[in-house]
Amino acid sequence: MKYLPLIWAGLWRKKARTIFTMLSIVVAFLLFGLLQGINQGFNTVVQNLDVDRLYVTAKTNLTDGLPIAYASRIKAVPGVRQLSYWTYFAGYYQDSRNPIPAFATDPTALFDIYKDLKIKPEYLQAMQRTRTGVLINEQLAAKYHWKLGDRIPLGTSIWTNKDGSNTWNFDVVGIFDSSALGAGFPGFYLNQSYFDEAAAFGRGTVHYYIVAIDDPAQATAVSQRIDALFANSTNETRTQTESALAQMQLKQLGDINFIVNAIVGAVLFTLLFLTANTMMQSVRERTGELAVLKTLGFSDGKVLSLVLIESLALCVFAAAVGIALAATAFPLLKPIFGKFQMPGIVVAMGAGLALLLAFVSGFAPAWRARQLNIVDALAGR
Amino acid sequence: MSALVTLRNVTKSYTRGKQKVEVLHGVDLQIESGEFLALMGPSGSGKTTTLNLIAGLDQPTGGEVEVSGSRIDRLARGALADWRARNIGFIFQFYNLLPVLTAEANVEVPLLLTDLSRSERRRRVQIALQLVGLADRAKHKPNELSGGQQQRVAIARAIVADPTLLVCDEPTGDLDRQNAEEIMNLLKALNRTQGKTIVMVTHDPRAAEYASRELHLDKGKLAKEEVRHVA
């Protein structure tokens, strides 16, 4: 602690250089915090998806439908607790640039499977009573100022109704909270029975079966039983856990983990040279001063420690500011990831990287300071 | 008086590139406790090398260097650093203050190596600055002080840990006549009133007149000795 004034003075010897180096570190760790946080966010979303939910799709392609008649047969498979389904509606509101993640489903069964979706029971009852009813989440309601009782005309690029129109009219009968599952979770549900009845074609099919099972440990066995049921039929199935499906869909976007690590790695690698250069210049400029310290009785080890601590102070302080800024930005990501905070692992990784950066960039100049020959340094050699 | 510093048959050589340079050739020297010694001689005569050996900044190639009863030529680097912190006060030609620290922080630096409390360190710093007449400039940084004032701060730094021996390398070399006289009077006072033993390297005959003994080196050997009774 008593050496703090010496370390502090060394750090601020060239104020502008120190400030610019600190800013570089702050920006790098802000980027690290945000990217790693987003990466962790995706992972969290995937992890939030339970392994006791299975998705059954057509084996050929996710978008190929499966007969609705499969429902009763799947539900009869031992280990299956509940079953619902989704048919992708490809909706938009007023303009195709306002896509709506709308699905036709059996709402009562769906909300029984997804316990994290918060809805009042009377809304589900209203949905059963109202053929043209829809349930929407709070985000959509807020975005388009929709409220209970509103009649919403929804366009679709796929489905023509029996009236020959691509515009379907729905009545809002309930609003639910899907924030726990993040913004990626669909927030607009219509009755499959109504859709099936009103669609001009494609009736009797669904895109996904969502299956809740009794025991997550039996996920593989139940999946195999379901797929075996429809093997060699015209509509073979592929059953996988919800998280496996989500991971597969995420991979279609690219390996986010790799991209994030590559960007952060490149930034930190560049930063390493920048910080090392700053520390090396700083030590070079202070050769005489460090020689004076040694003359006055500072040992080689103490001089090495002073330079290393200086590097540590520079890196850790700036990194902490960067991570803190990233953490404050995280609430802004809530609409995407749902309830989400800077994961502790990112803070820990940031601290570890800051220490590593400080040590690697500070060691060479610190060693140079340690090896300084007093007589030569004082003579300016 | 007893010998505080003893050099016995000290030799020193450096290797510069492929060339071996002999700087000192078997120097024998005794400096008594409480003495004020001026080391004089032309450039390259070995004055600063002798001073560095006495101060434990360098090690002899041969011979013995004994200061305050310790054979410092046998000490390892770490032990020698500790020894310097406890026994030697340094005054340089160009003051060598740390530019980013205030005068009082500069003076405090040698005390950071002691176990003294912060308040005790501050007390000693104030006393040292008062002794050199700069108590009112404690908060000033070196670039806010004149050359003479900076050298006074350097002297305060040299005496703050109460060392046995002060070594001065051209302490007036960067000062005008008036400031040089003030600094030399201050060193003389420290020698007389505080009993500090002083070894000073200088080119300046006027500065050397303040010393009680002058030793002249030439080509790495003691060439002439002059003992003076200073008033």
Side-chain angles (χ1 to χ4, degrees):
Chain A
M1 199 61 188
K2 60 185 175 182
Y3 298 117
L4 193 64
L6 273 182
I7 295 163
W8 187 252
L11 203 54
W12 294 104
R13 196 175 188 279
K14 290 273 167 81
K15 284 193 182 74
R17 187 174 60 201
T18 303
I19 287 170
F20 281 122
T21 307
M22 272 191 170
L23 280 176
S24 309
I25 300 173
V26 167
V27 171
F29 276 82
L30 172 65
L31 190 67
F32 164 81
L34 285 175
L35 288 179
Q36 284 296 349
I38 289 168
N39 190 25
Q40 294 291 327
F42 278 119
N43 291 338
T44 306
V45 168
V46 171
Q47 279 161 14
N48 280 344
L49 304 174
D50 291 337
V51 288
D52 66 354
R53 283 192 291 259
L54 305 178
Y55 271 59
V56 186
T57 60
K59 191 175 181 180
T60 47
N61 196 305
L62 283 179
T63 53
D64 290 344
L66 289 170
I68 190 81
Y70 280 12
S72 54
R73 294 176 67 189
I74 294 171
K75 199 166 183 183
V77 170
V80 171
R81 178 180 69 79
Q82 181 60 282
L83 174 133
S84 189
Y85 33 75
W86 274 347
T87 301
Y88 188 45
F89 188 74
Y92 59 84
Y93 181 59
Q94 291 176 333
D95 189 299
S96 59
R97 284 172 296 186
N98 300 323
I100 303 290
F103 285 85
T105 186
D106 171 357
T108 306
L110 184 78
F111 280 80
D112 180 46
I113 291 170
Y114 282 100
K115 303 283 189 194
D116 289 334
L117 296 176
K118 306 291 180 214
I119 190 167
K120 290 179 182 173
E122 57 262 38
Y123 292 158
L124 285 174
Q125 289 158 11
M127 191 67 176
Q128 284 174 341
R129 287 195 305 270
T130 316
R131 286 169 60 253
T132 57
V134 285
L135 298 172
I136 58 172
N137 70 6
E138 289 168 347
Q139 283 153 297
L140 281 178
K143 185 174 179 183
Y144 295 108
H145 308 290
W146 292 335
K147 54 187 185 304
L148 292 179
D150 279 358
R151 170 151 278 234
I152 304 169
L154 210 65
T156 167
S157 54
I158 305 175
W159 307 104
T160 308
N161 58 30
K162 281 181 179 168
D163 300 334
S165 167
N166 280 68
T167 302
W168 296 55
N169 290 303
F170 299 110
D171 299 298
V172 179
V173 298
I175 296 171
F176 61 93
D177 174 9
S178 63
S179 58
L181 293 170
F185 199 81
F188 191 108
Y189 297 111
L190 49 134
N191 278 313
Q192 172 76 29
S193 51
Y194 168 65
F195 169 77
D196 210 38
E197 196 180 290
F201 60 89
R203 283 179 289 172
T205 58
V206 296
H207 285 124
Y208 301 86
Y209 281 104
I210 308 157
V211 178
I213 56 177
D214 293 320
D215 179 7
Q218 295 299 311
T220 308
V222 175
S223 301
Q224 286 168 349
R225 274 183 224 137
I226 293 170
D227 289 342
L229 209 57
F230 307 106
N232 301 318
S233 71
T234 47
N235 297 101
E236 288 189 310
T237 60
R238 173 186 285 137
T239 307
Q240 53 195 329
T241 60
E242 187 179 44
S243 56
L245 179 72
Q247 275 168 1
M248 194 180 81
Q249 287 172 332
L250 272 180
K251 284 216 165 145
Q252 287 174 350
L253 292 174
D255 191 337
I256 292 169
N257 202 31
F258 173 77
I259 294 167
V260 165
N261 286 335
I263 294 172
V264 169
V267 169
L268 290 178
F269 192 66
T270 311
L271 193 64
L272 185 69
F273 287 105
L274 177 78
T275 316
N277 186 43
T278 300
M279 290 305 300
M280 192 59 99
Q281 270 186 33
S282 171
V283 166
R284 229 179 251 139
E285 287 165 3
R286 279 185 291 162
T287 299
E289 292 168 35
L290 292 168
V292 170
L293 287 180
K294 284 188 159 191
T295 301
L296 297 179
F298 281 69
S299 65
D300 294 343
K302 271 204 173 75
V303 170
L304 178 132
S305 303
L306 285 176
V307 177
L308 263 187
I309 293 170
E310 202 178 297
S311 170
L312 205 67
L314 174 75
C315 295
V316 172
F317 173 75
V321 171
I323 296 280
L325 284 175
T328 56
F330 263 58
L332 304 175
L333 300 174
K334 189 183 171 187
I336 303 168
F337 296 118
K339 286 174 190 168
F340 188 53
Q341 288 180 325
M342 166 77 82
I345 183 74
V346 175
V347 178
M349 281 166 66
L353 278 171
L355 288 174
L356 187 70
L357 179 71
F359 185 77
V360 175
S361 62
F363 188 77
W367 188 255
R368 181 190 163 97
R370 183 194 182 279
Q371 297 299 88
L372 208 64
N373 179 290
I374 299 174
V375 173
D376 286 345
L378 288 177
R381 286 195 284 268
Chain B
M1 285 197 289
S2 57
L4 180 72
V5 180
T6 306
L7 270 63
R8 295 187 195 94
N9 195 28
V10 168
T11 57
K12 180 68 186 175
S13 57
Y14 294 105
T15 306
R16 292 270 173 260
K18 287 180 180 173
Q19 215 173 12
K20 192 177 178 186
V21 184
E22 302 279 350
V23 185
L24 295 179
H25 307 277
V27 171
D28 289 296
L29 168 66
Q30 279 205 336
I31 303 169
E32 306 298 328
S33 181
E35 199 177 345
F36 188 162
L37 176 75
L39 280 174
M40 299 188 75
S43 293
S45 60
K47 309 183 295 292
T48 299
T49 302
T50 305
L51 192 75
N52 288 343
L53 293 174
I54 293 169
L57 293 178
D58 208 351
Q59 296 284 40
T61 310
E64 297 175 4
V65 181
E66 190 175 314
V67 183
S68 299
S70 299
R71 280 286 300 277
I72 62 169
D73 56 292
R74 289 178 174 173
L75 295 178
R77 275 170 73 110
L80 201 54
D82 284 345
W83 178 86
R84 282 197 303 274
R86 280 184 279 109
N87 293 284
I88 309 288
F90 292 89
I91 299 161
F92 304 94
Q93 179 179 359
F94 297 109
Y95 333 125
N96 282 348
L97 299 174
L98 304 182
V100 283
L101 297 182
T102 60
E104 63 180 0
N106 265 292
V107 176
E108 193 186 2
V109 170
L111 297 181
L112 297 176
L113 296 166
T114 67
D115 294 328
L116 296 173
S117 67
R118 188 164 187 261
S119 58
E120 180 58 20
R121 294 201 305 268
R122 285 290 153 97
R123 194 181 70 80
R124 292 193 185 195
V125 166
Q126 289 310 313
I127 291 171
L129 282 170
Q130 274 168 11
L131 268 173
V132 300
L134 278 180
D136 58 331
R137 298 298 183 109
K139 303 289 180 194
H140 289 247
K141 286 191 175 169
N143 63 1
E144 296 160 351
L145 300 171
S146 69
Q149 287 171 330
Q150 288 187 56
Q151 195 60 297
R152 282 166 182 269
V153 174
I155 292 172
R157 182 178 67 183
I159 61 173
V160 74
D162 197 21
T164 325
L165 179 63
L166 293 183
V167 294
C168 316
D169 192 358
E170 303 277 9
T172 59
D174 196 44
L175 300 174
D176 58 32
R177 172 81 60 85
Q178 191 190 337
N179 273 308
E181 281 177 10
E182 283 177 13
I183 292 299
M184 288 315 303
N185 280 321
L186 186 54
L187 289 175
K188 191 168 81 175
L190 286 170
N191 175 243
R192 295 279 180 82
T193 61
Q194 309 282 319
K196 298 293 175 199
T197 307
I198 300 177
V199 181
M200 175 179 71
V201 162
T202 185
H203 276 107
D204 182 2
R206 285 194 198 89
E209 283 174 10
Y210 287 81
S212 53
R213 184 160 60 123
E214 273 182 41
L215 277 178
H216 290 256
L217 281 125
D218 191 24
K219 294 174 185 169
K221 289 181 179 171
L222 291 178
K224 191 174 89 178
E225 180 174 355
E226 190 178 323
V227 180
R228 183 180 298 115
H229 293 285
V230 184

